[in-house]
Amino acid sequence: MIELYTWTTPNGEKPIIMLEECGMDYQLHMVDIGSGEQHADSFNALNPNEKIPVLVERTRGGYAETVIESGAIMVYLAEINNQFLPRTSPQRAKCLAWTFFQVGNTGPMIGQYHHFNNHSDQKIDYAIERYRKESVRVLGVLDRQLQSGEWLAGDYSIADMINWSWAKSGLKELSGHGTEKYDALADWVERIGRRPAVKRALDKLQDAKAKHG
Ligand SMILES: N[C@@H](CCC(=O)N[C@@H](CS)C(=O)NCC(=O)O)C(=O)O
């Protein structure tokens, strides 16, 4: 049985989308990062980095495989299901490149922009400007990639799923800063948002959050 520790944030959405796309059974554990549940000892035992998401796969014999870092979780799920990640390169390398493009670029840049623009006690213009420019640039890279194909790396894959949540929130948050001309990216965000598995994933996450209290 798969257990997913997560919350309703862009990083938290990625693995539940993949679980739904693969049609897997899983149990959700909500970790309210707003109230600091990620710092509990029981969670630190799963992820010493104290961040969601975390995936645990328990076997009948009681053995548990714990996977931290959303990029690794997406690859793990793709490999156990043999879905959404090509088996051989160059297609596999291309899919992994756009998957880890998110881990190193889309997430950190938009995440830091959001932090400095909305949550920082001090308004630090340099930090806001740096992450704003970098976020707009990174979203532009995705837009250009999507101008030449329906998906980021060949067929619909973990590369699309992992970039989607960040691109969706980035387009919203950076609207008026140059992202409104990213038509290919906006179409792709909408196309993925219409997928039944994606809708199910987001609904289940919201329901679980409401029940978590
Ligand atoms: N590189 C990590 C980033 C995970 C991450 O930043 N998670 C955020 C939520 S979106 C978190 O748990 N934040 C809580 C904290 O920083 O205390 C991954 O991709 O899994």
Side-chain angles (χ1 to χ4, degrees):
M1 169 61 106
I2 297 274
E3 296 181 31
L4 178 65
Y5 293 77
T6 195
W7 193 241
T8 51
T9 61
N11 286 321
E13 287 177 2
K14 307 167 196 175
I16 190 170
I17 288 174
M18 178 64 171
L19 286 162
E20 287 293 331
E21 289 285 10
C22 293
M24 296 186 84
D25 282 336
Y26 59 92
Q27 197 180 342
L28 270 185
H29 299 285
M30 298 305 278
V31 181
D32 183 349
I33 61 168
S35 64
E37 289 178 3
Q38 72 277 29
H39 304 304
D41 289 348
S42 55
F43 189 73
N44 176 288
L46 293 174
N47 186 357
N49 195 29
E50 300 184 354
K51 289 188 191 291
I52 58 98
V54 175
L55 183 137
V56 179
E57 183 169 25
R58 290 180 203 284
T59 61
R60 280 197 193 153
Y63 173 76
E65 187 64 55
T66 302
V67 190
I68 63 168
E69 286 294 321
S70 61
I73 293 172
M74 298 303 267
V75 172
Y76 183 81
L77 290 173
E79 288 180 341
I80 62 173
N81 286 288
N82 197 15
Q83 271 186 290
F84 302 114
L85 171 64
R87 270 204 244 181
T88 54
S89 286
Q91 292 87 348
R92 184 180 179 87
K94 189 174 180 191
C95 179
L96 289 174
W98 286 100
T99 298
F100 290 100
F101 178 85
Q102 186 282 308
V103 176
N105 297 278
T106 326
M109 294 307 130
I110 298 171
Q112 293 300 326
Y113 173 69
H114 179 80
H115 173 81
F116 282 108
N117 198 39
N118 300 307
H119 297 298
S120 172
D121 291 343
Q122 310 153 31
K123 279 277 167 229
I124 307 171
D125 291 341
Y126 177 81
I128 295 171
E129 268 307 280
R130 167 159 172 78
Y131 289 117
R132 183 188 64 74
K133 272 195 200 139
E134 220 14 45
S135 299
V136 171
R137 192 190 66 76
V138 160
L139 290 170
V141 174
L142 291 175
D143 182 65
R144 277 196 301 284
Q145 180 67 5
L146 289 162
Q147 285 171 18
S148 56
E150 197 183 359
W151 307 112
L152 285 171
D155 294 335
Y156 178 65
S157 71
I158 56 169
D160 298 289
M161 291 177 225
I162 201 167
N163 277 283
W164 182 73
S165 296
W166 280 108
K168 176 181 57 140
S169 68
L171 282 184
K172 206 178 284 173
E173 189 151 358
L174 289 147
S175 155
H177 293 278
T179 60
E180 45 306 321
K181 59 181 186 289
Y182 296 157
D183 292 336
L185 185 62
D187 287 353
W188 168 90
V189 164
E190 229 189 279
R191 201 156 59 243
I192 295 179
R194 282 199 302 265
R195 292 179 69 87
V198 175
K199 285 188 182 163
R200 266 196 318 274
L202 300 192
D203 286 350
K204 285 186 183 175
L205 215 45
Q206 286 303 333
D207 283 357
K209 182 183 187 178
K211 285 188 189 123
H212 189 67

